[in-house]
Amino acid sequence: MQKSTEKSPAHQGAVSRRFSVAPMMDWTDRHCRFFLRLLSRHALLYTEMVTTGALLKGDRERFLRYDEAEHPLALQLGGSVPAELAACAAFAEQAGYDEVNLNVGCPSDRVQNNMIGACLMAHPTLVADCVKAMLDAVRIPVTVKHRIGINGRDSYAELCDFVGQVHDAGCTRFTVHARIAILEGLSPKENREVPPLRYDIAAQLKRDFPGLEIILNGGIKTLAECRTHLQTFDGVMLGREAYHNPYVLADVDSALYGEKTPPISRADALRAMRPYIARHLADGGAMHHITRHVLGLGQGFNGARRFRQLLSVDVHKTRDPLGLLDQAIGLLEGH
């Protein structure tokens, strides 16, 4: 079952944003999300950003495809035309997504040229119009992920103006990447590292808008940091750390949601991927489409390097991919 138009009991009700994994281009595809879900039952997962053009003019089924196991699951949209975003939000709801999120944080030149991402922070009225159109089109939550500013519009007053206008349009849930975006001269990678983190600005925003749900994003690496930030914010979002060190998610349910069940082991998590990988192979897919997302399991133990080599190098040469997978699972045993 790849998608659904009716929500199963497993994901009915309010979406918890206490812990989420950020939308990341080329990383949080459906294979990655299926894997991350094995590590945490409660984490809210996001798709890669999907543009309105891709859904309206491209292979909509492919872009919306997911496995039922991925819930709770949010679709992130990129766009700036209210009617187009409304139509795509409706597609998300029809496909069974639990939330639709508008990207107002991506700083790349390519999306700027299409009026997508962080450049929209200079146009709060337009973002408000987009959000209102989306809210009018669906019953699922509509959220916004944004920066604390962009170059040339980086004052706290301008940030409050942005959040205030979007809130007046009906949005009550904001994920704040606590850096400004430099829209000229820095690459997307540099924009995730060079502008300083300003958790204090995000915290002030929560104090000044206490009725809003504010989720903090940017630079968070450990669950101890998550617990600290949850004293101020309504939720935390991990990005690169959750991808490069995915086993951090294995303790999320107990540390942040009070679950008593012991965390899944690394070996059991990869073993649970085996039927999924077998189906993908039977459908004509390649194993590295999936195993590239699990390489972060191979850290901090004897054999970790061999584990990563099996699934990143040897995987391209083998005639027995599932046998190779079993070798990799064996290297994880006891770790």
Side-chain angles (χ1 to χ4, degrees):
M1 180 74 174
Q2 260 93 39
K3 65 177 185 174
S4 170
T5 55
E6 294 184 8
K7 294 189 175 184
S8 67
H11 56 101
Q12 284 180 342
V15 176
S16 170
R17 297 173 191 82
R18 184 170 174 82
F19 180 93
S20 55
V21 177
M24 292 176 281
M25 291 300 294
D26 195 41
W27 287 1
T28 52
D29 65 14
R30 60 190 177 90
H31 303 312
C32 176
R33 300 189 307 262
F34 187 92
F35 165 58
L36 296 179
R37 178 59 67 218
L38 293 170
L39 300 174
S40 169
R41 291 178 56 244
H42 295 289
L44 175 61
L45 303 179
Y46 283 79
T47 68
E48 305 168 88
M49 181 187 71
V50 180
T51 65
T52 53
L55 291 183
L56 293 169
K57 301 172 185 176
D59 186 348
R60 187 183 311 160
E61 191 280 334
R62 179 172 70 85
F63 285 112
L64 293 177
R65 187 180 182 190
Y66 65 86
D67 190 283
E68 279 294 306
E70 295 173 38
H71 290 289
L73 179 63
L75 176 72
Q76 187 183 67
L77 290 175
S80 58
V81 178
E84 293 179 354
L85 283 163
C88 292
F91 296 151
E93 183 174 50
Q94 291 160 12
Y97 283 88
D98 300 292
E99 173 190 305
V100 60
N101 176 267
L102 179 61
N103 184 323
V104 191
C106 181
S108 81
D109 292 340
R110 183 166 57 87
V111 299
Q112 284 183 59
N113 294 335
N114 292 301
M115 277 292 283
I116 295 172
C119 64
L120 289 174
M121 291 205 71
H123 307 278
T125 302
L126 175 58
V127 175
D129 289 343
C130 290
V131 164
K132 184 178 187 307
M134 295 164 75
L135 284 166
D136 288 345
V138 298
R139 292 174 296 173
I140 58 175
V142 173
T143 66
V144 172
K145 186 174 187 292
H146 62 93
R147 297 283 184 130
I148 57 173
I150 54 176
N151 53 307
R153 188 182 169 89
D154 58 2
S155 72
Y156 183 66
E158 287 165 320
L159 174 61
C160 288
D161 176 55
F162 173 84
V163 172
Q165 288 198 48
V166 178
H167 170 48
D168 288 345
C171 185
T172 60
R173 303 169 179 98
F174 296 79
T175 297
V176 182
H177 185 162
R179 289 184 172 94
I180 68 165
I182 307 296
L183 298 184
E184 300 89 21
L186 292 186
S187 69
K189 180 179 186 294
E190 290 168 331
N191 258 300
R192 294 190 297 268
E193 299 170 350
V194 174
L197 283 163
R198 294 294 307 272
Y199 295 144
D200 57 317
I201 297 295
Q204 185 63 50
L205 195 67
K206 177 60 186 176
R207 286 192 292 271
D208 290 340
F209 293 88
L212 298 185
E213 189 175 346
I214 303 291
I215 292 85
L216 181 69
N217 172 232
I220 306 170
K221 294 184 179 296
T222 68
L223 296 187
E225 291 174 46
C226 289
R227 284 192 292 267
T228 298
H229 288 309
L230 286 169
Q231 297 174 26
T232 302
F233 300 96
D234 301 292
V236 289
M237 175 182 277
L238 266 66
R240 286 166 290 164
E241 186 66 21
Y243 189 84
H244 291 306
N245 182 26
Y247 199 62
V248 70
L249 267 72
D251 291 316
V252 162
D253 293 352
S254 58
L256 302 183
Y257 291 91
E259 288 274 353
K260 304 302 183 186
T261 308
I264 191 170
S265 71
R266 295 172 195 256
D268 284 346
L270 190 54
R271 190 175 288 111
M273 289 292 294
R274 198 181 193 281
Y276 181 88
I277 291 171
R279 289 195 301 271
H280 182 66
L281 293 172
D283 289 339
M287 192 165 79
H288 71 86
H289 296 158
I290 300 173
T291 55
R292 71 187 184 97
H293 299 302
V294 310
L295 299 179
L297 286 176
Q299 292 188 34
F301 61 89
N302 289 334
R305 183 177 179 182
R306 176 59 180 154
F307 170 85
R308 296 192 300 271
Q309 181 183 352
L310 280 172
L311 297 183
S312 62
V313 179
D314 296 4
V315 69
H316 296 285
K317 308 171 186 175
T318 184
R319 294 183 178 181
D320 180 17
L322 291 177
L324 184 143
L325 180 70
D326 291 336
Q327 290 183 54
I329 293 170
L331 291 172
L332 293 177
E333 294 288 2
H335 301 292

